[in-house]
Amino acid sequence: MYKLNAQEVASTFQESVDGIATDLIRSHALKFSQEIESLSSPLFRWLEFRLRYVDPSPRRTVFSDNFPVSQLPVKAQEGLSQLIRVMEEGRDINPYQGRGLLKHDVSRELRGNRTDLLWADWGITHFHLDATPIPSDRYFSFPADYLAFCIVDAESVVFVDVLRHPNGDGFSDFSLLETVHRNWPAYMERFKLKGVLPGSRLSQSEIHSLREGGLSPFIVLGDSMYASPGMGITSASTPTKVTLIMNRLRETVDELSRFVSEGDGQVAKTLQGIDAGAPILSLCATERGLVVYDETSKVAFSLSKLPGMEEVCDLMVPSWAIEKLLANVSLNS
């Protein structure tokens, strides 16, 4: 009988997670320069992309009182109509996010190119409004003169506004939050700071500079103060939400290692029954999703069926990521 050491299993599982993240980064051609050592975690890089990527799924569309947008050029209106149709039909809308989805790199020296600061700070995603058919040899749509600014969740896409493509601090346009507050006050109430008196409102150039410097200013709306709906920016100008989710994922993996190592647990009992020798365990991404794999017995245990592992499986290896990962492995084998 072989007794599993939970600490050793945890260390191996964490290494496995970073290895899977590295493979995912490569298979999706994500920029990962690793110029800053402290920001070069493969898991962090993968999760920044994973959280920005919109899973292909039908979503209902909701519009602010800025719609229909008046005097919108015909080309932009066609792009908007197409974008709405793609979203409602559940097709892939990520090509309309623009190349920053792949090219932003949390490990870069240049702070302003580590993430989408608008998404990280205010939770607003922008999409290019171009109806030109995307050629088969490219993934992203053509850059557009107008952008749709949206809040995306698992079931819906909220259209906040359509604006001419801004530059630099234009992505800190405070009118976007004013629209959100005016149309969905209950949503903004979640971020309201109780008992805090509002100060003066910052300009969009000041907000932009603070973001690039690693600060998320509080938001003044009316006579109240609000925290960032997107959870804000870390001191490294990376998304706070990615840090929090990464830490939670790693804690769950540690919990998994303890569960796997329990002598009376399902995994340990199965391996003892096979008695093929000392187990050599790791986490692997397979066509069945994320599994615990024993190199000695060649037995795999699917994690998708284990309670509490749903989030880890979804963050690490959603179905669309597995398909691309396995295809890339096949090409390189």
Side-chain angles (χ1 to χ4, degrees):
M1 181 180 296
Y2 300 95
K3 183 176 178 61
L4 295 169
N5 183 299
Q7 189 171 356
E8 292 178 358
V9 173
S11 177
T12 301
F13 281 5
Q14 295 294 354
E15 290 178 4
S16 298
V17 165
D18 283 325
I20 293 169
T22 297
D23 291 340
L24 288 164
I25 289 168
R26 291 171 180 164
S27 66
H28 287 80
L30 306 184
K31 187 172 180 61
F32 188 42
S33 60
Q34 297 181 284
E35 294 172 354
I36 305 296
E37 184 177 356
S38 61
L39 299 177
S40 294
S41 162
L43 179 58
F44 193 90
R45 177 64 186 98
W46 167 250
L47 289 177
E48 193 272 345
F49 168 75
R50 171 68 186 100
L51 294 175
R52 288 173 61 184
Y53 188 94
V54 181
D55 289 16
S57 177
R59 288 173 170 80
R60 66 187 182 96
T61 49
V62 183
F63 301 89
S64 76
D65 56 11
N66 289 327
F67 292 83
V69 181
S70 62
Q71 299 181 337
L72 193 62
V74 172
K75 187 176 180 180
Q77 184 61 62
E78 291 174 348
L80 177 60
S81 298
Q82 176 170 287
L83 183 66
I84 293 170
R85 188 165 54 252
V86 170
M87 290 174 171
E88 292 179 339
E89 293 175 355
R91 291 186 280 139
D92 187 4
I93 64 174
N94 294 287
Y96 301 95
Q97 285 205 55
R99 291 186 294 272
L101 181 64
L102 304 184
K103 299 304 182 184
H104 283 147
D105 176 7
V106 291
S107 68
R108 286 192 65 179
E109 182 76 44
L110 188 61
R111 283 175 171 264
N113 285 332
R114 290 179 184 170
T115 190
D116 181 331
L117 294 172
L118 174 60
W119 168 81
D121 196 12
W122 291 349
I124 296 175
T125 302
H126 69 271
F127 298 95
H128 290 254
L129 298 182
D130 188 280
T132 307
I134 301 174
S136 59
D137 61 346
R138 62 180 287 160
Y139 178 69
F140 290 105
S141 68
F142 293 96
D145 293 334
Y146 282 81
L147 305 178
F149 293 85
C150 305
I151 298 173
V152 182
D153 63 25
E155 298 179 349
S156 62
V157 179
V158 173
F159 281 78
V160 179
D161 207 349
V162 169
L163 300 173
R164 180 176 284 278
H165 194 313
N167 293 312
D169 65 13
F171 285 96
S172 302
D173 187 341
F174 203 80
S175 71
L176 294 169
L177 276 185
E178 290 177 323
T179 296
V180 174
H181 182 253
R182 184 174 66 251
N183 285 267
W184 301 283
Y187 169 77
M188 289 301 299
E189 186 70 19
R190 296 158 49 189
F191 311 105
K192 189 174 181 178
L193 301 176
K194 312 299 183 183
V196 178
L197 295 176
S200 58
R201 179 182 295 180
L202 300 175
S203 68
Q204 66 181 40
S205 62
E206 290 172 326
I207 293 171
H208 177 70
S209 295
L210 288 170
R211 284 175 177 171
E212 289 196 328
L215 293 172
S216 292
F218 290 135
I219 301 159
V220 179
L221 290 165
D223 57 358
S224 298
M225 188 85 78
Y226 297 81
S228 300
M231 299 186 71
I233 314 293
T234 70
S235 59
S237 296
T238 59
T240 299
K241 70 186 101 183
V242 176
T243 299
L244 295 176
I245 289 175
M246 180 183 72
N247 291 341
R248 188 166 73 233
L249 188 152
R250 289 207 182 273
E251 289 171 1
T252 304
V253 170
D254 283 341
E255 292 174 5
L256 172 66
S257 67
R258 290 190 287 271
F259 171 79
V260 167
S261 302
E262 291 175 354
D264 58 350
Q266 173 189 354
V267 174
K269 280 185 175 181
T270 300
L271 294 177
Q272 289 167 9
I274 297 173
D275 195 23
I280 303 175
L281 301 181
S282 63
L283 296 180
C284 297
T286 73
E287 60 185 9
R288 294 166 53 192
L290 199 62
V291 303
V292 173
Y293 180 68
D294 174 29
E295 177 65 31
T296 304
S297 65
K298 310 301 182 185
V299 172
F301 303 85
S302 176
L303 296 187
S304 61
K305 299 179 181 178
L306 290 181
M309 292 302 300
E310 297 88 349
E311 182 184 40
V312 172
C313 293
D314 180 63
L315 289 171
M316 289 299 302
V317 285
S319 58
W320 51 264
I322 292 177
E323 292 172 6
K324 198 156 191 173
L325 176 62
L326 296 181
N328 189 66
V329 170
S330 298
L331 287 173
N332 295 323
S333 62

